[in-house]
Amino acid sequence: MVIKNDLFLKALRGEEVSRPPVWMMRQAGRYLPEFIELKKKYDFFTRCQTPELASEITLQPFHRFPIDAAILFSDILVVPQALGLNFEMKPGVGPWLENPVKSAKDVAKLRDGDVNDELQYVFDAINLTKKGLNDEIPLIGFAGSPWTIFCYAVQGQGSKNFDKAKAFAFSQPEAAHQLLQKITTATIYYLKEKVAQGCNAVQVFDSWGGMLSPKDYQEFSYQYIEQIVNELYTEAPVVIFGKGCWFALEKMSQSNASALGVDWTITPQLARELTGFKKTLQGNFDPSRLFSSPEIIEQMVTEMIDDFGVYKYVANLGHGILPNVPLENAQAFIEAVVNYKSKS
């Protein structure tokens, strides 16, 4: 299988490229009019769990923009659902779990090990998507980090500070680590199968890692991410994205990951300094900046690439695209990267 446009994979391997590859986190989603049409007809998890819909949504930005990679439409909560946590998506609330994890007894009730049978719909969506992409660009598979899944499993919903999740981790550390390990093991099986089914790279999203102090991050988040990376990196390139986790970049740069995602709270210069050019970096355009005019977006994207450099860099947002971003501004972001000309 030869990918026609393998710019993204070349950047992950640290090979020379004429310009950085570009894709956007959450590019298959809520800012696209064709996505909104499907949203009117099907609820969130129906879209995730119906392979034809998940594939169609994944392909929507590919048909519209000159992106260098597609990311499979899914959700990080499909793994805890497979473990036995019945998450739903409540309008106006977001992720919702009626009975969050509160004790070691609750952890013990969850499934253990390989839960891929429960996730067959994801693998079916990969197969359909690969046909639709026709080897034009690579496909990225993803999962949430164990800590981020843990936060939802214990809190039962989104939160500004995940106080219940942190209280559980610190007051019942043994049960917390048992839960984190269950999530980690299931995630490893899940991502390995995604690669086996055709994903060309995988990304681990640690959306809530920044809630932890650097010391607690090592104990409750990073050691589990590292387990995943060590199991996967020989099979496909792995990208770690920790939101608010710039303090861990130096540690991450010693890992077997191919690339590290960075959010907008760190300068490209400092990110390079902390990682010493050991890893490809991905990011870090503030998604809210897509509300600027297309002219300003183009100028800021050019500056961002100048600062990161073309080598070992993937242009992306510093988090997911927001739902009300104007289409022409998303287009301006992508085209600014595609048309980038180095000053040298």
Side-chain angles (χ1 to χ4, degrees), residues 131-152:
K131 283 180 191 137
L133 289 172
N134 194 27
D135 295 334
E136 291 289 334
I137 57 173
L139 179 63
I140 304 165
F142 72 90
S145 74
W147 167 255
T148 290
I149 302 296
F150 174 98
C151 282
Y152 286 112

Short mmCIF file of all heavy atoms in Angstrom, two decimals, residues 131-152:
data_model
loop_
_atom_site.label_atom_id
_atom_site.label_comp_id
_atom_site.label_asym_id
_atom_site.label_seq_id
_atom_site.Cartn_x
_atom_site.Cartn_y
_atom_site.Cartn_z
N LYS A 131 -11.23 2.71 1.69
CA LYS A 131 -11.71 2.60 0.29
C LYS A 131 -11.98 4.00 -0.26
O LYS A 131 -11.63 4.32 -1.39
CB LYS A 131 -12.98 1.75 0.23
CG LYS A 131 -12.71 0.26 0.35
CD LYS A 131 -13.99 -0.56 0.28
CE LYS A 131 -13.71 -2.01 0.66
NZ LYS A 131 -14.72 -2.56 1.55
N GLY A 132 -12.61 4.85 0.56
CA GLY A 132 -12.95 6.20 0.13
C GLY A 132 -11.73 7.08 -0.10
O GLY A 132 -11.72 7.92 -0.99
N LEU A 133 -10.70 6.87 0.72
CA LEU A 133 -9.47 7.66 0.56
C LEU A 133 -8.63 7.19 -0.62
O LEU A 133 -7.84 7.96 -1.18
CB LEU A 133 -8.61 7.58 1.84
CG LEU A 133 -9.14 8.32 3.08
CD1 LEU A 133 -8.29 7.99 4.30
CD2 LEU A 133 -9.16 9.84 2.86
N ASN A 134 -8.81 5.91 -0.96
CA ASN A 134 -8.12 5.34 -2.12
C ASN A 134 -6.60 5.59 -2.08
O ASN A 134 -5.98 5.90 -3.10
CB ASN A 134 -8.73 5.91 -3.42
CG ASN A 134 -8.31 5.11 -4.65
OD1 ASN A 134 -8.02 3.93 -4.54
ND2 ASN A 134 -8.25 5.77 -5.79
N ASP A 135 -6.02 5.49 -0.87
CA ASP A 135 -4.58 5.68 -0.69
C ASP A 135 -4.07 7.06 -1.13
O ASP A 135 -2.89 7.23 -1.43
CB ASP A 135 -3.77 4.58 -1.40
CG ASP A 135 -4.03 3.21 -0.79
OD1 ASP A 135 -4.38 3.16 0.39
OD2 ASP A 135 -3.89 2.21 -1.51
N GLU A 136 -4.96 8.05 -1.16
CA GLU A 136 -4.54 9.41 -1.53
C GLU A 136 -3.75 10.05 -0.38
O GLU A 136 -2.70 10.66 -0.60
CB GLU A 136 -5.76 10.29 -1.84
CG GLU A 136 -6.50 9.93 -3.12
CD GLU A 136 -5.73 10.27 -4.39
OE1 GLU A 136 -4.89 11.17 -4.36
OE2 GLU A 136 -5.97 9.59 -5.41
N ILE A 137 -4.27 9.94 0.84
CA ILE A 137 -3.61 10.50 2.02
C ILE A 137 -3.69 9.48 3.16
O ILE A 137 -4.53 8.58 3.13
CB ILE A 137 -4.24 11.85 2.48
CG1 ILE A 137 -5.74 11.69 2.78
CG2 ILE A 137 -3.99 12.95 1.46
CD1 ILE A 137 -6.39 12.93 3.40
N PRO A 138 -2.83 9.61 4.18
CA PRO A 138 -2.88 8.67 5.30
C PRO A 138 -4.11 8.88 6.18
O PRO A 138 -4.70 9.96 6.20
CB PRO A 138 -1.60 8.97 6.09
CG PRO A 138 -0.91 10.09 5.42
CD PRO A 138 -1.75 10.59 4.31
N LEU A 139 -4.44 7.82 6.93
CA LEU A 139 -5.55 7.86 7.88
C LEU A 139 -4.99 7.74 9.29
O LEU A 139 -4.19 6.84 9.58
CB LEU A 139 -6.53 6.72 7.60
CG LEU A 139 -7.74 6.61 8.54
CD1 LEU A 139 -8.64 7.85 8.44
CD2 LEU A 139 -8.54 5.34 8.24
N ILE A 140 -5.43 8.65 10.17
CA ILE A 140 -5.01 8.64 11.57
C ILE A 140 -6.12 8.01 12.41
O ILE A 140 -7.29 8.36 12.28
CB ILE A 140 -4.74 10.08 12.08
CG1 ILE A 140 -3.72 10.80 11.19
CG2 ILE A 140 -4.29 10.08 13.53
CD1 ILE A 140 -3.68 12.31 11.39
N GLY A 141 -5.73 7.09 13.28
CA GLY A 141 -6.65 6.58 14.30
C GLY A 141 -6.30 7.22 15.62
O GLY A 141 -5.17 7.68 15.81
N PHE A 142 -7.23 7.25 16.56
CA PHE A 142 -6.89 7.91 17.83
C PHE A 142 -7.59 7.24 19.01
O PHE A 142 -8.52 6.46 18.86
CB PHE A 142 -7.25 9.41 17.78
CG PHE A 142 -8.74 9.68 17.82
CD1 PHE A 142 -9.40 9.85 19.03
CD2 PHE A 142 -9.47 9.79 16.65
CE1 PHE A 142 -10.77 10.11 19.06
CE2 PHE A 142 -10.84 10.05 16.67
CZ PHE A 142 -11.48 10.21 17.88
N ALA A 143 -7.11 7.60 20.19
CA ALA A 143 -7.75 7.20 21.44
C ALA A 143 -7.48 8.29 22.46
O ALA A 143 -6.55 9.08 22.32
CB ALA A 143 -7.18 5.87 21.93
N GLY A 144 -8.30 8.31 23.51
CA GLY A 144 -8.03 9.21 24.62
C GLY A 144 -6.95 8.62 25.50
O GLY A 144 -6.76 7.40 25.54
N SER A 145 -6.22 9.46 26.20
CA SER A 145 -5.23 8.94 27.15
C SER A 145 -5.98 8.29 28.31
O SER A 145 -7.13 8.66 28.62
CB SER A 145 -4.37 10.08 27.69
OG SER A 145 -5.13 10.85 28.62
N PRO A 146 -5.35 7.34 28.99
CA PRO A 146 -6.03 6.71 30.13
C PRO A 146 -6.48 7.73 31.19
O PRO A 146 -7.58 7.61 31.72
CB PRO A 146 -4.96 5.75 30.67
CG PRO A 146 -4.22 5.34 29.42
CD PRO A 146 -4.13 6.61 28.60
N TRP A 147 -5.65 8.73 31.48
CA TRP A 147 -6.05 9.73 32.48
C TRP A 147 -7.29 10.51 32.03
O TRP A 147 -8.20 10.76 32.81
CB TRP A 147 -4.91 10.70 32.79
CG TRP A 147 -5.36 11.91 33.56
CD1 TRP A 147 -5.54 13.17 33.09
CD2 TRP A 147 -5.75 11.94 34.94
NE1 TRP A 147 -6.00 14.00 34.09
CE2 TRP A 147 -6.15 13.26 35.24
CE3 TRP A 147 -5.82 10.99 35.96
CZ2 TRP A 147 -6.59 13.65 36.50
CZ3 TRP A 147 -6.26 11.37 37.22
CH2 TRP A 147 -6.64 12.69 37.49
N THR A 148 -7.33 10.89 30.77
CA THR A 148 -8.47 11.66 30.27
C THR A 148 -9.76 10.83 30.33
O THR A 148 -10.81 11.32 30.74
CB THR A 148 -8.18 12.17 28.84
OG1 THR A 148 -7.17 13.18 28.93
CG2 THR A 148 -9.40 12.76 28.17
N ILE A 149 -9.68 9.55 29.98
CA ILE A 149 -10.84 8.65 30.09
C ILE A 149 -11.22 8.48 31.56
O ILE A 149 -12.40 8.51 31.92
CB ILE A 149 -10.52 7.26 29.48
CG1 ILE A 149 -10.09 7.36 28.02
CG2 ILE A 149 -11.70 6.31 29.64
CD1 ILE A 149 -11.12 7.87 27.07
N PHE A 150 -10.22 8.33 32.41
CA PHE A 150 -10.42 8.21 33.86
C PHE A 150 -11.22 9.41 34.38
O PHE A 150 -12.15 9.27 35.17
CB PHE A 150 -9.05 8.13 34.54
CG PHE A 150 -9.06 8.14 36.04
CD1 PHE A 150 -8.96 6.97 36.77
CD2 PHE A 150 -9.12 9.35 36.76
CE1 PHE A 150 -8.94 6.98 38.16
CE2 PHE A 150 -9.12 9.37 38.15
CZ PHE A 150 -9.03 8.18 38.85
N CYS A 151 -10.84 10.61 33.92
CA CYS A 151 -11.53 11.84 34.36
C CYS A 151 -13.03 11.76 34.10
O CYS A 151 -13.85 12.06 34.97
CB CYS A 151 -10.94 13.06 33.66
SG CYS A 151 -9.38 13.61 34.36
N TYR A 152 -13.40 11.34 32.89
CA TYR A 152 -14.82 11.23 32.55
C TYR A 152 -15.49 10.09 33.32
O TYR A 152 -16.63 10.20 33.75
CB TYR A 152 -15.01 11.01 31.05
CG TYR A 152 -14.76 12.25 30.23
CD1 TYR A 152 -13.67 12.34 29.37
CD2 TYR A 152 -15.62 13.35 30.31
CE1 TYR A 152 -13.43 13.48 28.61
CE2 TYR A 152 -15.39 14.50 29.57
CZ TYR A 152 -14.29 14.56 28.72
OH TYR A 152 -14.07 15.69 27.98
#
